[in-house]
Amino acid sequence: MRAFSIRPVTADLVEQAFPVVQAAAPEVTLEQWRAYATGSPEEGATGLTGVFNEQDYIVGLFAYQCEQHLHYGRILRICHLAAVDLIDAEPVLLALLQAIDDLAQSRGCGAILMATPSNYMKVAAHWLHPLFAARGYLLDNPQIRKVPIS
C-alpha cells in the first residue's frame, strides 16, 4: 500500500510543483505558475495543498478558497486539481479527495464546489467519475459538488 503525506505547497515548493501543474495544464508557463502560487493569499482563506509520495515528490495538488455561498453557507471552492503519478494516478486522486474533505471539515464548510475543466468531461464517464461519485460528489456541469459535507 502506498503512503502519501498531505501538506501545504509553500513558496519553497512552488517550482517543485510545476511539473504536476504542467501535466494538468500544459499551456501554463512557469512564470504564470509562480505568479499564481506566490500571490498574496488571504490568511487561511486560500492556499495550495500538495500530495507528496514516499520520496517526498509532489504527485498531486489543488488550490482552494473558502468563501460564503448563498445556498450552502461557508464553502470550499477547489480549482486546479491535478493528480500525476507514473505508477497509478488513482491513489493520488483518492488522497487528494480525502485531503479536500478533511480541509472542508476543518474550515467548517457546508459544501465543496470544484470547477471542472472541459477535458474532465471527456474522461468523466470512464475512471474519474466513479471515484468522485463513490465519495459523494455529483457531476454538475460545469462543476463537481459535494453537499452536504459528511
Side-chain angles (χ1 to χ4, degrees), residues 62-119:
F62 63 89
Y64 68 88
Q65 181 172 3
C66 294
E67 59 188 57
Q68 286 301 119
H69 191 277
L70 179 61
H71 296 288
Y72 307 123
R74 188 169 171 84
I75 66 164
L76 184 66
R77 184 171 303 278
I78 303 297
C79 50
H80 311 299
L81 179 75
V84 179
D85 191 75
L86 295 176
I87 299 167
D88 186 4
E90 185 175 325
V92 177
L93 181 59
L94 292 173
L96 281 167
L97 293 176
Q98 185 61 55
I100 290 168
D101 287 353
D102 293 346
L103 182 62
Q105 285 204 320
S106 73
R107 302 293 167 104
C109 297
I112 297 168
L113 299 180
M114 191 180 311
T116 31
S118 58
N119 62 351

Side-chain angles (χ1 to χ4, degrees), residues 19-30:
V20 175
V21 172
Q22 198 160 49
E27 72 283 358
V28 174
T29 66
L30 179 57

